[in-house]
Amino acid sequence: MTTDHPADDLRSWLATYVSTMHEEDLDILTLWILHTHFIGELFTTGRLLLDSPVPESGKTTVLEHMSYLALDPVQASSISSGSLIPRLLDSRPRTILIDEADRALSPDNPNSKEIIATVNTGYKRGGSRPVLIPTEGGGWEAKEMSTFGAVAMAGNNPELAADTRSRTIRVLLMPDTLGTVEESDWEFLEPHAHDLKEKIASWAADNAETLRTLRPEMPEGVKGRLRECWSPLIRVGALCGDGWQRRAEHLAVRALEFRRAEVESGLRADPPKILMLRAMYDNWPEGEERWQTEDIIAMLAAENPSLWEEDLFKGRKRVTAQAIAKTLSGSFGLRTRQGTTRADRSRAYHRSDFDPVFVSMGIAPPPIDTVNTVRNVHSVHQGAGNAHGVNEVNGVHAVEGEGGLSVHTPVQQELIEVSCEVCGGSIPSRHVAAHGERVHPSCRERRTA
């Protein structure tokens, strides 16, 4: 069956020969194959994961169809070295098809770390890795080779690290026990597949410039790594027409909801550094600006004994001050600060340092008081002049001038920071809203001492 649009033709082709667990996953396969033909106009490319709990579910069949329909495909049923992929991609973007990914990317494979690193870096334009190449004199020299290209991986529930899984778009395949799809007889199908690919390639070439300028708005919540995976498919969907764009947006939202469900059910656990930050947010002493490390240690050990309390049988020691400092400083730039009053010169962590991190990591919502206060100030003090202090956070300007605090860009419900009148350090404006003055709580104590 042929139609006026290659997206519809491709979708019909896949529905004839491929059985997915969810019918709408055929839309994913369609859009993903189409996006490979625009790889030169795209900045990112999500890794397609063809997943199944059992063998003979059609994963290899899907890869075979991609080998006929995707852009410049190369089948890599077994990868002997992490340098193979950049060698394949060095001269031009291609579509890498990895079969038996559960073996190729298994921790038991001595080459898996190199392969995974190459797969991870190549999802974004500019990704590269050094590869040794022979020289005329019999020696070797390192050459930086591109790793950017489309990658589809097929395997039986491959154990992928969190950073790799976050770059994937998953399609679940099951055995076609009801016989709903036709056999892929390539002796008969090959010429028809070539015709379909030519139609796709011609359409892609004619619309490459249009796609380059297409920037459809992403669905709410689809951001970060998830946006990087789904933006190419949504852009291709927009190029195909409103119906395809709506399908792509729906699939992106479905992926977002699935990830949220995994987190809520404990299937996708946060790393220890995020758990530590979350525990500190949940248990920070109410009304206190400073928190001593020894008290944080006791809290962490009680909050999550399996992670931070001593266990003699497992040989695990209780979390230490050094471990906390290394985690908070190395990951978030958070450090203890010395007290400023005569009564307390000890070092402790300060809540005002943590608040921006809590918000930016999604652990705490932007304070409503701050958002409302800044909105009100913006409506009253637009165009305040003679500004002598400007702070910018995520594109929002908090300006300190003769007219007081004013905001010069639309509020995007982000945390605004201003300068403390005593020490000059940054202070979240929610403290301004709460206390009516631009002063750290510790500086307030020093000023009144």
Side-chain angles (χ1 to χ4, degrees):
M1 175 182 177
T2 61
T3 67
D4 291 335
H5 203 287
D8 298 323
D9 288 350
L10 178 56
R11 213 284 191 177
S12 178
W13 175 284
L14 293 172
T16 303
Y17 303 105
V18 174
S19 174
T20 57
M21 181 66 179
H22 307 286
E23 185 177 355
E24 57 191 4
D25 283 353
L26 291 170
D27 296 335
I28 296 180
L29 296 178
T30 300
L31 291 168
W32 194 89
I33 292 172
L34 291 177
H35 107 284
T36 66
H37 291 268
F38 292 98
I39 203 73
E41 283 65 52
L42 298 171
F43 192 76
T44 59
T45 168
R47 276 58 187 105
L48 182 67
L49 176 60
L50 304 172
D51 199 0
S52 174
V54 294
E56 299 185 12
S57 298
K59 299 181 295 296
T60 302
T61 298
V62 176
L63 291 182
E64 286 178 352
H65 284 267
M66 289 183 174
S67 72
Y68 281 95
L69 300 170
L71 172 73
D72 203 357
V74 56
Q75 289 185 296
S77 57
S78 62
I79 301 178
S80 57
S81 168
S83 64
L84 175 61
I85 295 177
R87 290 180 188 276
L88 293 170
L89 296 171
D90 186 44
S91 60
R92 62 192 186 280
R94 305 186 67 180
T95 305
I96 308 297
L97 308 175
I98 303 175
D99 203 358
E100 299 183 353
D102 46 321
R103 297 181 185 178
L105 306 182
S106 169
D108 297 332
N109 182 350
N111 298 314
S112 64
K113 289 184 178 180
E114 281 189 71
I115 298 169
I116 291 171
T118 302
V119 169
N120 286 351
T121 60
Y123 91 104
K124 184 180 291 187
R125 184 175 296 280
S128 64
R129 60 158 291 175
V131 176
L132 290 176
I133 60 174
T135 60
E136 289 184 2
W140 297 86
E141 67 176 12
K143 178 184 177 183
E144 201 75 15
M145 291 187 176
S146 173
T147 57
F148 179 64
V151 174
M153 306 174 289
N156 298 323
N157 293 152
E159 296 181 16
L160 300 180
D163 56 346
T164 303
R165 189 168 291 274
S166 69
R167 292 169 166 87
T168 62
I169 296 172
R170 181 175 181 250
V171 170
L172 183 61
L173 301 171
M174 291 290 190
D176 179 31
T177 55
L178 299 179
T180 57
V181 296
E182 298 180 15
E183 291 289 333
S184 299
D185 182 354
W186 289 110
E187 184 176 2
F188 167 74
L189 290 179
E190 190 173 73
H192 302 288
H194 287 316
D195 290 344
L196 177 56
K197 182 174 181 177
E198 286 184 10
K199 183 175 183 177
I200 294 171
S202 176
W203 169 77
D206 291 342
N207 290 275
E209 185 62 35
T210 303
L211 183 83
R212 193 176 296 121
T213 60
L214 271 179
R215 290 293 186 275
E217 184 176 349
M218 293 296 107
E220 183 178 357
V222 179
K223 55 186 179 179
R225 190 67 59 73
L226 195 65
R227 177 192 179 95
E228 291 174 334
C229 286
W230 285 96
S231 175
L233 272 59
I234 292 176
R235 289 172 65 186
V236 171
L239 187 64
C240 294
D242 290 342
W244 276 102
Q245 181 177 346
R246 286 194 296 270
R247 293 189 214 180
E249 291 170 349
H250 163 72
L251 292 166
V253 171
R254 190 191 72 169
L256 173 64
E257 292 173 347
F258 181 74
R259 289 192 180 188
R260 285 174 174 169
E262 283 187 319
V263 172
E264 292 173 0
S265 61
L267 295 177
R268 187 186 292 258
D270 287 329
K273 59 187 177 184
I274 302 298
L275 294 176
M276 180 181 291
L277 200 64
R278 192 181 300 278
M280 294 185 70
Y281 172 76
D282 291 338
N283 295 278
W284 199 288
E286 187 174 356
E288 296 294 329
E289 165 69 7
R290 290 163 51 80
W291 201 0
Q292 301 287 344
T293 302
E294 55 266 29
D295 296 328
I296 295 173
I297 291 174
M299 179 277 296
L300 291 174
E303 178 78 6
N304 195 335
S306 64
L307 187 60
W308 290 305
E309 183 56 284
E310 181 180 31
D311 190 323
L312 296 177
F313 292 102
K314 294 183 178 180
R316 184 181 63 241
K317 295 182 179 181
R318 198 182 209 198
V319 65
T320 63
Q322 290 79 9
I324 292 174
K326 184 177 180 180
T327 299
L328 295 177
S329 176
S331 300
F332 308 107
L334 297 167
R335 300 174 179 84
T336 58
R337 287 197 278 125
Q338 195 173 44
T340 57
T341 64
R342 293 193 183 100
D344 186 4
R345 302 289 292 175
S346 64
R347 300 191 69 85
Y349 291 100
H350 286 234
R351 177 61 187 255
S352 55
D353 295 336
F354 279 73
D355 281 335
V357 179
F358 287 149
V359 172
S360 63
M361 294 303 297
I363 294 173
I368 296 176
D369 287 346
T370 299
V371 174
N372 290 337
T373 298
V374 176
R375 279 179 175 158
N376 292 335
V377 171
H378 180 47
S379 65
V380 174
H381 295 291
Q382 289 186 18
N386 301 318
H388 61 272
V390 178
N391 297 284
E392 180 179 3
V393 179
N394 293 328
V396 181
H397 288 180
V399 182
E400 207 177 354
E402 290 182 357
L405 182 69
S406 63
V407 179
H408 283 236
T409 58
V411 177
Q412 301 170 340
Q413 296 193 358
E414 297 288 347
L415 191 64
I416 314 303
E417 294 183 347
V418 296
S419 297
C420 173
E421 292 177 343
V422 176
C423 69
S426 296
I427 177 172
S429 61
R430 76 180 184 89
H431 287 282
V432 180
H435 302 291
E437 58 180 0
R438 293 189 293 276
V439 180
H440 285 124
S442 57
C443 293
R444 190 186 313 115
E445 295 173 3
R446 183 175 65 182
R447 189 166 64 177
T448 56

